[in-house]
Amino acid sequence: MLQLKGLAGQGITQLDLGTTAPGTIGEYWLHLSDNGIGEPVLLPIVVARGQHDGPVLGLTAAIHGNELNGIPVIQRLFRTIDVKKLHGTIVGVLVVNVPGLLKEQRRFNDGTDLNRIAPGKPDGNVSEVYINRIVERILKNFDYLIDLHTASFGRVNSWYIRADMNSEITAWMARLQNPEIILHNKPNDGTFRGAASSLGIQAITLELRDPHVFQFEVIEDALQGINNVIYYLNMLKGEIIVSSAPIVLCQRSYWMHTDEGGILQVIPRVCEEVKKGQLVAEVRSIFGKLNREYHAPEDGIIIGKSVDPINPTGSRIIHLGVKTSIVETGG
């Protein structure tokens, strides 16, 4: 164990689930790397090890440093877990991108998006080594992963899930969240979820609305959804709560971008259904003259949208989910 002065929790260099005694909750600071003057970069991790054997469920938050809603989800879950009755282990990584969070920015401190380079490289650059050590020292312990995200600066999201709906287990994990939208999305794009899938870990991504704030309604929704998964995996006994609201399933999605700069106004709300040809955005000059209108290229639903009116050419407009249908809820 590392000796940490002034910090609650034990210092570790590798996540060893056996360090936490059965029927207890342990708090740890994992020494992952060092900064430019040799000070340790420490990740906060909490482990609930059940009194009984069972699977390992991992929860990760803030791989983007400005995406905060996942942090209180993990905090609240661990305040309510009955480890004496728990079958298996639940691991919460409260902040994955510690340097980014401390700088209040999405990306890692070298400007890299950690969620595009997983699993990284053990002998790569700063960000590649960082994410590789997370995969090797933390992720490989999991059987299941729920990765908690939000939109980034200047954008807002619906409450939606990214999951491979061709996988029976991840499809159920997604439905059990009771989200507004599920986006069928195979985990093969350099994401942390993709790294998990390549290791045989069943994984989904939760998109919990908006960046750099705590939004307690969606935090409560996510907490219930994660508890539903815990009950589904028979880690604890409890009632799976199913929402009566329909869930929209999108088979694919894409972002529309501007081709002219100016003051941007995006018209539809998140979760609003739009029709092909419907006006979705306007760009005006700084003097207020209408320069450009943008229309939906096909029928779909607004998964996310830009709310930043300052629009350089090539900025995002809407995240459009297409080929939609209604799916059954968790149950």
Side-chain angles (χ1 to χ4, degrees):
M1 290 289 180
L2 296 171
Q3 296 299 315
L4 299 177
K5 295 183 179 180
L7 287 177
Q10 300 179 38
I12 57 175
T13 57
Q14 179 85 29
L15 180 60
D16 179 357
L17 300 181
T19 300
T20 306
T24 66
I25 295 178
E27 296 177 353
Y28 304 98
W29 291 96
L30 190 149
H31 180 189
L32 193 71
S33 62
D34 301 317
N35 68 15
I37 58 171
E39 294 176 329
V41 176
L42 304 172
L43 270 63
I45 299 175
V46 59
V47 177
R49 186 178 176 195
Q51 193 73 52
H52 313 280
D53 291 338
V56 179
L57 172 63
L59 311 171
T60 51
I63 195 169
H64 295 128
N66 63 331
E67 300 185 0
L68 306 183
N69 272 332
I71 297 172
V73 173
I74 296 174
Q75 291 173 335
R76 291 184 181 202
L77 179 72
F78 277 83
R79 288 204 296 265
T80 61
I81 293 172
D82 187 343
V83 288
K84 301 301 181 183
K85 297 179 179 178
L86 180 66
H87 291 253
T89 301
I90 302 174
V91 178
V93 184
L94 291 143
V95 181
V96 173
N97 183 0
V98 170
L101 181 133
L102 293 177
K103 297 178 85 171
E104 299 187 16
Q105 67 183 29
R106 174 181 176 84
R107 295 173 180 265
F108 193 62
N109 57 6
D110 69 349
T112 300
D113 186 336
L114 292 177
N115 204 40
R116 294 294 180 270
I117 61 167
K121 299 177 182 178
D123 56 353
N125 61 30
V126 175
S127 51
E128 289 171 333
V129 170
Y130 187 92
I131 194 66
N132 183 261
R133 289 183 178 181
I134 291 172
V135 170
E136 293 294 323
R137 300 182 186 184
I138 302 173
L139 181 62
K140 284 188 173 182
N141 289 278
F142 301 166
D143 299 308
Y144 303 90
L145 169 68
I146 298 177
D147 191 24
L148 305 169
H149 287 250
T150 73
S152 190
F153 286 131
R155 304 196 293 272
V156 293
N157 271 345
S158 57
W159 160 214
Y160 82 98
I161 310 297
R162 292 178 178 268
D164 182 357
M165 297 302 284
N166 292 330
S167 164
E168 181 180 0
I169 295 176
T170 55
W172 272 109
M173 290 172 67
R175 291 187 183 98
L176 288 165
Q177 302 307 309
N178 297 315
E180 294 165 327
I181 297 171
I182 296 174
L183 174 59
H184 171 54
N185 181 243
K186 293 185 177 180
N188 54 5
D189 50 3
T191 61
F192 194 57
R193 178 169 65 97
S197 180
S198 69
L199 294 169
I201 300 165
Q202 304 290 333
I204 62 172
T205 298
L206 276 55
E207 295 283 355
L208 305 176
R209 296 201 184 278
D210 308 335
H212 210 66
V213 291
F214 287 164
Q215 295 168 297
F216 294 105
E217 183 177 353
V218 77
I219 288 167
E220 291 294 335
D221 289 342
L223 184 60
Q224 182 59 62
I226 292 170
N227 274 314
N228 281 346
V229 170
I230 291 170
Y231 305 150
Y232 173 74
L233 296 174
N234 294 315
M235 299 180 74
L236 282 170
K237 291 183 178 179
E239 179 185 0
I240 292 176
I241 296 178
V242 179
S243 171
S244 59
I247 300 173
V248 177
L249 173 64
C250 300
Q251 291 298 327
R252 59 183 179 88
S253 72
Y254 55 89
W255 278 93
M256 287 182 62
H257 296 81
T258 64
D259 57 5
E260 183 168 340
I263 306 302
L264 174 69
Q265 179 187 5
V266 180
I267 297 166
R269 303 179 305 275
V270 292
C271 292
E272 182 176 335
E273 294 184 5
V274 295
K275 297 295 184 182
K276 181 179 180 179
Q278 181 176 331
L279 180 68
V280 295
E282 296 177 342
V283 172
R284 296 180 179 269
S285 74
I286 194 63
F287 299 103
K289 177 185 176 183
L290 179 63
N291 286 346
R292 185 81 159 81
E293 292 183 339
Y294 294 89
H295 299 83
E298 56 186 312
D299 294 354
I301 189 169
I302 305 299
I303 297 176
K305 59 178 276 189
S306 174
V307 292
D308 188 348
I310 307 305
N311 157 57
T313 302
S315 294
R316 300 185 187 216
I317 303 173
I318 58 170
H319 183 194
L320 186 65
V322 297
K323 293 190 176 180
T324 63
S325 59
I326 302 298
V327 298
E328 295 180 3
T329 51

